Amino acid sequence: MSSSPHPLSPLRVALVGYGYAGKLFHAALIDATPGLLLHVIGSNRPDAVLADRPDAVVCAPEAAAVHREVDLVVIAAPNDRHAPLAEAALRAGKHVVVDKPFTVTLAEARHLAYAARETGRLLSVFQNRRWDSDFLAVQAVIASGAVGEAMHVEAHFDRYRPQVRARWREQAGQGTGIWFDLGPHLIDQALLLLGLPDAVSASFARQRPGAETADWAHVVLHHGERRTILHASMLVAGGAPRWIVHGTRGSFIKRGMDQQEAQLLAGMMPGAQGWGADADTGALIDGATSSASDVATPVGDQRAYYAAVRDAILGQRPNPVPPVQALAVMAVLEAAIAAAETGIAVVPDLTDTERTDWLAVRESTS
């Protein structure tokens, strides 16, 4: 088991997986976070890694997960590899960050949470979109009371990608498809805004020619008389509002998405001038007068996730996304799948203890 790192020494990081998420998000954000040093990369394509990072130690994913020279292991491998790689890292005494989805089943998620408790290691899930500008805008508006009690929250994660691409996320298999890809983000944000749902109803479809797995998802979370609608599609040209909130005093509409992914794709380094800036204002509509006013959008900064992970490992603040929150996301994700299969609303399969623990975390961070 690796020894606890000295606060003045950087935490050495192994990144397992160097595909889209690993290279674009994790590597860039780790590099931009003081106190973290990306030292080892686990990949089956070493030449591609070394072309980008000639100084990296490159080895097989399984070896990277247990590498003796690292303190923190980040799992960004295909979804069905998350659980075994993360458990191996925990058993080797490493702290672990897992990309979303946490696992491909709720049972696997519970097993990993148990392994983290047993080993005394930090286990966190990469819910980077908690620090997106659009979500921060919605969170602030609801918290301010400007719309009154939020009764209808609608979140869209829509794209226009009419061609099915040859990548594992769009191929038939466990943990693939749009709901496993984008659903965890939508669910996590929804739970932070309105809490755990009483029940979930859902519908999925394959709308593009040649689609092997769902590329359209429409999920409704039932919170008493309140509703959260989560929608994702690959056939939305021109975009749709990212967020719609209707409340007892008015409404809020935010059209544009956070720009950090686009900035990374354009080669911007996290923290550079303009990083996370979002010029798209939200519209707040007063219910009594129907008058609309612009609401400036906060700056997004996904670096905050890794800064919080670093500090949590050093014992300076709580885990930013603890396992109990990841369990809740997985329970809602599975409930939606069951609801789509049966055509009836399904109650998320969380124990009383898990619900109590989830509420305790929410209250401690609110």
Side-chain angles (χ1 to χ4, degrees), residues 15 21-31 74 76 97 99 126 306:
L15 174 59
K23 178 179 178 178
L24 187 72
F25 287 102
H26 293 282
L29 295 172
I30 292 167
D31 285 342
V74 176
V97 164
D99 200 355
F126 184 62
Y306 270 113

Side-chain angles (χ1 to χ4, degrees), residues 2 13-17 40-43 59-75 77 81-96:
S2 60
V13 183
L15 174 59
V16 182
V40 175
I41 296 179
S43 174
C59 54
E62 294 76 12
V66 299
H67 201 286
R68 63 183 179 85
E69 295 178 0
V70 302
D71 310 293
L72 170 65
V73 174
V74 176
I75 308 297
R81 298 295 299 152
H82 286 187
L85 288 167
E87 182 172 11
L90 289 168
R91 300 293 181 192
K94 314 301 180 184
H95 302 289
V96 176

Side-chain angles (χ1 to χ4, degrees), residues 8 31-32 54 56 68 73 140 192-193 195 203 212 223 230 251 280 290 294 305 350:
L8 297 180
D31 285 342
R68 63 183 179 85
V73 174
L192 293 178
L193 293 175
S203 177
E212 298 181 20
H223 314 261
L230 309 179
S251 298
D280 177 72
S290 295
D294 291 339
Y305 172 78
L350 289 168

Side-chain angles (χ1 to χ4, degrees), residues 71-347:
D71 310 293
L72 170 65
V73 174
V74 176
I75 308 297
N79 296 346
D80 61 356
R81 298 295 299 152
H82 286 187
L85 288 167
E87 182 172 11
L90 289 168
R91 300 293 181 192
K94 314 301 180 184
H95 302 289
V96 176
V97 164
V98 185
D99 200 355
K100 57 77 202 168
F102 185 26
T103 57
V104 294
T105 68
L106 180 57
E108 282 187 341
R110 285 184 172 130
H111 182 74
L112 273 189
Y114 172 79
R117 291 193 300 270
E118 190 177 37
T119 59
R121 301 288 89 180
L122 177 135
L123 174 61
S124 188
V125 178
F126 184 62
Q127 286 292 359
N128 56 316
R129 295 199 178 270
R130 292 186 182 188
W131 292 273
D132 275 7
S133 60
D134 54 74
F135 176 68
L136 295 173
V138 170
Q139 195 174 42
V141 165
I142 291 177
S144 73
V147 297
E149 183 179 4
M151 302 302 295
H152 172 113
V153 176
E154 192 165 335
H156 282 250
F157 211 138
D158 296 324
R159 295 161 167 166
Y160 185 67
R161 295 177 179 172
Q163 304 299 323
V164 176
R165 292 182 291 177
R167 58 177 194 155
W168 64 263
R169 297 179 190 276
E170 299 185 48
Q171 296 169 351
Q174 191 176 31
T176 65
I178 200 168
W179 184 234
F180 274 91
D181 186 20
L182 303 180
H185 288 313
L186 293 168
I187 297 167
D188 184 68
Q189 292 175 333
L191 298 189
L192 293 178
L193 293 175
L194 293 187
L196 296 173
D198 305 316
V200 180
S201 54
S203 177
F204 302 120
R206 303 177 188 180
Q207 294 192 331
R208 296 175 298 171
E212 298 181 20
T213 187
D215 56 11
W216 181 93
H218 190 85
V219 176
V220 181
L221 308 186
H222 304 247
H223 314 261
E225 295 302 315
R226 299 180 298 165
R227 297 290 185 270
T228 304
I229 295 173
L230 309 179
H231 187 89
S233 173
M234 291 291 197
L235 289 177
V236 179
R242 174 72 174 92
W243 292 94
I244 300 170
V245 180
H246 299 306
T248 54
R249 292 181 55 191
S251 298
F252 179 73
I253 300 172
K254 175 70 172 76
R255 292 197 62 86
M257 288 189 66
D258 178 271
Q259 292 300 299
Q260 290 173 86
E261 181 174 1
Q263 290 175 333
L264 288 170
L265 284 168
M268 180 181 287
M269 296 297 294
Q273 184 176 0
W275 171 255
D278 186 345
D280 177 72
T281 57
L284 180 63
I285 299 96
D286 181 80
T289 64
S290 295
S291 61
S293 57
D294 291 339
V295 177
T297 301
V299 174
D301 193 351
Q302 296 177 12
R303 292 178 302 166
Y305 172 78
Y306 270 113
V309 166
R310 174 201 62 206
D311 291 350
I313 291 172
L314 298 175
Q316 297 173 354
R317 54 173 157 164
N319 184 342
V321 188
V324 67
Q325 290 186 322
L327 288 177
V329 170
M330 290 302 304
V332 173
L333 188 147
E334 281 199 352
I337 294 171
E341 291 174 348
T342 62
I344 60 175
V346 173
V347 177

